[in-house]
Amino acid sequence: MDLTARAARHPDHWRRATCIRTLALDAVAAANSGHSGMPMGMADVATVLFDKHLSFDASAPDWANRDRFILSAGHGSMLLYALLYLTGSPDMTLEQVKNFRQLGAITAGHPEYGHAMGIETTTGPLGQGIANAVGFAMAEEFLRAKWGKKIIDHHTYCIAGDGCLMEGVSQEAIALAGRQELSRLIVLWDDNGITIDGKVSIADRTDQLARFAASGWDVFSC
């Protein structure tokens, strides 16, 4: 399906994803620093996730039973900042987006916990986010077992990039998650085959789908 047909078929989705891309491009260009590729590539995925699946309340960002969204590929922080702004986060104003990566702004180059509600954890060091996501999902399992589904019943969503999965810590986290059968943990891998050094193939040839499956995960490719 070409871009024009996609836009005609899903006009609201297309507009929101386009807004994410525009905000990301403008912010990175204004700062003359940052990464626009991941927000551009994952804008559609993030739009569907926040529109159709993620359970949250922008006016009550600390709601205990909200779904958690963790951007393991923290270098693409403008994806998260754009999402927070477009969904009405009280902390994430357009002025903060315009001040991306500037001294004193809450829109740091990598998401920092405590800078704005909606940033669930600090990410950026590759592999840190997916490991944090496993911890979040384990906490959900524990709290649901203790308090019951009527009080605790949410998901943890994580967007990870190639660089995240090339770090050793990711294998330990993936293996632990598979062993614990964390059914409410969903990792979305941005399989674009590129890192800051160039093509992934210059350093890695891992079959990531087989790797997750070998650790006990349900794996789907689209």
Side-chain angles (χ1 to χ4, degrees):
M1 185 183 297
D2 63 28
L3 297 183
T4 303
R6 286 170 61 193
R9 188 172 177 182
H10 305 286
D12 291 336
H13 165 93
W14 186 257
R15 280 193 291 268
R16 293 181 183 118
T18 300
C19 284
I20 292 173
R21 293 187 174 98
T22 302
L23 288 168
L25 284 175
D26 285 353
V28 171
N32 196 29
S33 177
H35 301 261
S36 56
M38 200 281 289
M40 293 289 288
M42 294 298 281
D44 290 294
V45 174
T47 298
V48 172
L49 176 60
F50 272 68
D51 258 4
K52 305 295 185 184
H53 302 284
L54 202 71
S55 180
F56 70 101
D57 184 346
S59 66
D62 56 352
W63 170 41
N65 199 37
R66 68 190 180 279
D67 285 341
R68 271 63 169 175
F69 173 70
I70 296 175
L71 186 66
S72 186
H75 56 277
S77 56
M78 264 311 304
L79 176 69
L80 178 55
Y81 301 149
L83 288 165
L84 291 177
Y85 169 65
L86 293 171
T87 54
S89 169
D91 288 343
M92 195 58 60
T93 65
L94 184 58
E95 197 62 29
Q96 288 290 347
V97 173
K98 289 179 178 179
N99 287 324
F100 175 62
R101 293 185 76 118
Q102 301 307 302
L103 185 64
I106 64 175
T107 45
H110 295 91
E112 295 282 348
Y113 177 75
H115 280 200
M117 297 297 289
I119 300 175
E120 298 286 0
T121 187
T122 299
T123 59
L126 294 174
Q128 177 176 312
I130 189 171
N132 270 263
V134 172
F136 273 69
M138 289 180 69
E140 190 276 339
E141 292 276 358
F142 170 79
L143 292 171
R144 178 161 37 86
K146 182 176 182 178
W147 299 108
K149 288 184 178 181
K150 289 185 178 181
I151 298 176
I152 299 295
D153 185 15
H154 59 263
H155 290 77
T156 299
Y157 293 91
C158 173
I159 288 182
D162 292 300
C164 297
L165 301 187
M166 291 170 72
E167 294 290 339
V169 65
S170 71
Q171 180 55 43
E172 298 177 44
I174 291 166
L176 177 61
R179 176 64 186 86
Q180 297 297 323
E181 299 181 359
L182 302 177
S183 61
R184 285 168 173 76
L185 171 62
I186 299 172
V187 172
L188 304 166
W189 169 37
D190 179 20
D191 179 18
N192 62 9
I194 197 75
T195 72
I196 196 169
D197 296 321
K199 292 182 178 179
V200 171
S201 59
I202 66 175
D204 190 14
R205 59 182 299 174
T206 303
D207 183 335
Q208 297 291 355
L209 302 184
R211 176 190 177 201
F212 275 84
S215 294
W217 289 60
D218 293 325
V219 181
F220 306 92
S221 176
C222 61

